[in-house]
Amino acid sequence: MQNQMRERQTAMQIAWTREFLKYFGTFFGLAAVGLTAGYEICFLTENINILHLYFNDDASSCCIIMGTENILDTQSTLLELPKGPLTYEDLEKIRRSQSKFFIQK
């Protein structure tokens, strides 16, 4: 159950990051085009509302939730721990190695 919660949180973070980078990339792409064409950045950013950092609107929240579900369904390898799930035996090995370290001064 905890592993599923961790996977869902990780998927949510990945989806949020992808959504953020999409808006971030769009903003700087338009800013670069504006500079190349000779327009001022302040003119573009005042008149075009494309950078939604706080995701207050329903469309962005919906995109994040759909991205989360997509990651959980199709890209679950992104959510796996590098060396697999931690077992009780692994914890005991770590505890023993740390206790030997502190005893042998």
Side-chain angles (χ1 to χ4, degrees):
M1 182 71 165
Q2 287 180 344
N3 196 38
Q4 289 175 344
M5 289 173 55
R6 183 197 57 80
E7 286 178 354
R8 183 167 289 279
Q9 286 177 332
T10 305
M12 179 76 81
Q13 289 174 347
I14 292 170
W16 184 89
T17 302
R18 286 179 180 172
E19 194 70 17
F20 175 77
L21 289 175
K22 181 171 57 174
Y23 286 113
F24 199 68
T26 302
F27 172 75
F28 280 107
L30 287 174
V33 169
L35 283 173
T36 303
Y39 294 108
E40 293 182 32
I41 294 295
C42 61
F43 176 78
L44 289 175
T45 55
E46 286 175 5
N47 295 315
I48 299 173
N49 185 16
I50 58 171
L51 187 58
H52 297 281
L53 291 177
Y54 298 107
F55 302 111
N56 287 332
D57 58 327
D58 292 334
S60 295
S61 299
C62 182
C63 288
I64 291 173
I65 290 171
M66 288 173 28
T68 300
E69 294 300 326
N70 182 35
I71 291 169
L72 287 170
D73 293 340
T74 61
Q75 300 173 341
S76 59
T77 55
L78 293 173
L79 308 174
E80 295 174 1
L81 294 172
K83 295 183 180 181
L86 196 60
T87 63
Y88 179 74
E89 289 80 19
D90 294 334
L91 288 174
E92 282 297 309
K93 287 179 187 176
I94 293 169
R95 185 187 63 79
R96 285 188 195 120
S97 68
Q98 287 179 348
S99 65
K100 289 178 184 176
F101 176 75
F102 288 115
I103 292 173
Q104 299 173 356
K105 288 187 178 178

